[in-house]
Amino acid sequence: MEQVQRTWDDWATETFVGDNYYYYKTKWEHQIPERSFSSWNWAAFFFPFYWLIYRKMYLYSFFFFLASIIGYILPIGLILHGLAGAYANYMYYKTCNTTIRIASQYSNEDALSYLKKKGGTNLLGVILTIAAIVIVTVTIFMGIILLADTSDTTSAPNENTYNVISVNKEIIATAPKTYEQETDNSNDLYLYDGIKDSELIFNIYYKDDYQDTVNEQYFMDNMIDFFNTEYTLSPVNGKELLTLDHQAPQTLYKAAIGTNILYFYFTCEKFDKYYVLTTFTIRPSDWDRVSKEIADTISSVRPNDTI
């Protein structure tokens, strides 16, 4: 009776293991299921995650995946591989014995089906896992490159733009080359387009100089009152304002200057140390044509971190 049981166990073990059965038979000789043991497995040492998937020990592979994540944070990667190499055969032995014990309850035909389903190898699973890892890695890598390119696009000038800096070097902006920076002692950054007869002006107000109740609208209202002393400003209705990359109040007025009509655009952005008030003047006929590049210029305003 003992010989029959042993013969069935040998058949079941060979059916479960499949490839390299005699290698594992040698490793498992004289082992007791309830007692742990160590024997070296080079494949499990070098490729523990993939070896576990290949041998259909998916739960173990999941636990090793979690442990390997910790291994990237703590210097225990080599230790994990060493443990996998030393105890892989034992884990496989335990899995094999558990499967055979369950299969022994079935008829020979059902036992054969169960052993082949739970045992053997899964090369396709390894290939799909590697493919998934490659796809995820490439996707993350391409995403990083795309973000870097986007960052470079928003911060660095292209052939049609250039970087301008305020008089006291507090802020930097990326402006169209049609707008030339000119010296103007009454403004922190003054840009002028002679063809369009258009002005783009930036003024800086330090937060420490004002009470906490002051906000962006306060500076816009003061500038509007200033222009009203010289011109009569009236709101422009039904005209789309600029699309900025930040939330900031903005408004559009118009005024008659001699026989001409000009648009007066105001917006103000709050930074860590100061407020930046933007005043932009343009002929109404040019507003739609330049709104995109002016919005990009205003959105590009940033603190000068070099000071």
Side-chain angles (χ1 to χ4, degrees):
M1 182 67 181
E2 181 180 352
Q3 180 66 28
V4 173
Q5 179 64 33
R6 186 178 66 253
T7 302
W8 191 92
D9 284 347
D10 289 342
W11 168 82
T13 301
E14 184 175 3
T15 303
F16 175 85
V17 173
D19 295 342
N20 286 344
Y21 161 66
Y22 290 103
Y23 167 82
Y24 290 104
K25 181 182 179 181
T26 301
K27 293 289 184 179
W28 295 345
E29 283 180 347
H30 312 300
Q31 300 301 329
I32 301 173
E34 291 76 17
R35 183 178 301 171
S36 64
F37 65 92
S38 62
S39 62
W40 194 252
N41 186 315
W42 283 108
F45 172 74
F46 285 112
F47 311 104
F49 179 63
Y50 300 110
W51 180 85
L52 289 167
I53 293 176
Y54 181 68
R55 284 296 172 179
K56 296 185 180 181
M57 291 188 286
Y58 305 121
L59 184 60
Y60 284 120
S61 67
F62 174 73
F63 287 144
F64 185 87
F65 174 75
L66 295 180
S68 64
I69 294 177
I70 301 176
Y72 285 113
I73 303 173
L74 302 176
I76 59 172
L78 186 59
I79 296 175
L80 290 175
H81 281 254
L83 290 173
Y87 288 97
N89 292 331
Y90 171 69
M91 289 188 292
Y92 195 36
Y93 177 71
K94 290 282 290 184
T95 303
C96 177
N97 273 277
T98 300
T99 305
I100 290 174
R101 187 170 61 251
I102 296 173
S104 65
Q105 304 173 18
Y106 303 148
S107 64
N108 286 344
E109 185 177 346
D110 291 338
L112 175 64
S113 177
Y114 182 78
L115 290 168
K116 288 185 175 180
K117 177 181 178 182
K118 295 295 183 179
T121 57
N122 187 4
L123 179 60
L124 178 60
V126 175
I127 294 173
L128 291 178
T129 300
I130 295 174
I133 292 174
V134 170
I135 291 172
V136 171
T137 302
V138 171
T139 301
I140 294 174
F141 181 73
M142 293 302 294
I144 293 173
I145 294 177
L146 182 61
L147 287 175
D149 290 343
T150 302
S151 176
D152 291 342
T153 301
T154 56
S155 61
N158 57 39
E159 61 180 8
N160 297 318
T161 62
Y162 71 113
N163 282 339
V164 292
I165 190 169
S166 60
V167 174
N168 293 320
K169 298 181 170 45
E170 300 99 332
I171 62 170
I172 301 174
T174 304
K177 287 186 176 179
T178 56
Y179 284 81
E180 297 183 3
Q181 184 173 3
E182 298 186 1
T183 302
D184 184 348
N185 294 330
S186 60
N187 297 293
D188 293 295
L189 179 56
Y190 180 86
L191 304 173
Y192 180 70
D193 186 334
I195 297 177
K196 301 184 184 71
D197 193 22
S198 172
E199 295 176 319
L200 184 57
I201 303 168
F202 300 92
N203 287 295
I204 300 168
Y205 303 91
Y206 283 86
K207 291 170 61 178
D208 290 344
D209 296 335
Y210 297 89
Q211 297 181 10
D212 294 338
T213 55
V214 169
N215 57 22
E216 295 94 323
Q217 192 64 48
Y218 169 83
F219 299 102
M220 291 172 57
D221 292 341
N222 279 352
M223 187 60 71
I224 293 169
D225 290 341
F226 170 78
F227 279 105
N228 264 323
T229 61
E230 189 172 354
Y231 315 111
T232 302
L233 300 182
S234 59
V236 175
N237 299 317
K239 201 70 177 176
E240 186 175 351
L241 298 178
L242 302 183
T243 303
L244 306 177
D245 71 346
H246 57 271
Q247 295 293 326
Q250 52 179 323
T251 187
L252 183 64
Y253 287 81
K254 64 181 178 180
I257 303 176
T259 57
N260 298 321
I261 299 292
L262 278 183
Y263 275 174
F264 288 76
Y265 169 84
F266 305 95
T267 186
C268 185
E269 184 177 1
K270 181 180 180 181
F271 289 91
D272 184 44
K273 296 181 180 180
Y274 36 73
Y275 294 91
V276 177
L277 173 68
T278 303
T279 304
F280 174 57
T281 63
I282 193 75
R283 291 189 294 258
S285 59
D286 290 326
W287 172 260
D288 291 332
R289 286 198 292 269
V290 302
S291 59
K292 175 63 169 63
E293 65 179 11
I294 296 303
D296 290 343
T297 301
I298 295 173
S299 297
S300 74
V301 174
R302 56 201 181 274
N304 182 11
D305 295 329
T306 61
I307 62 173

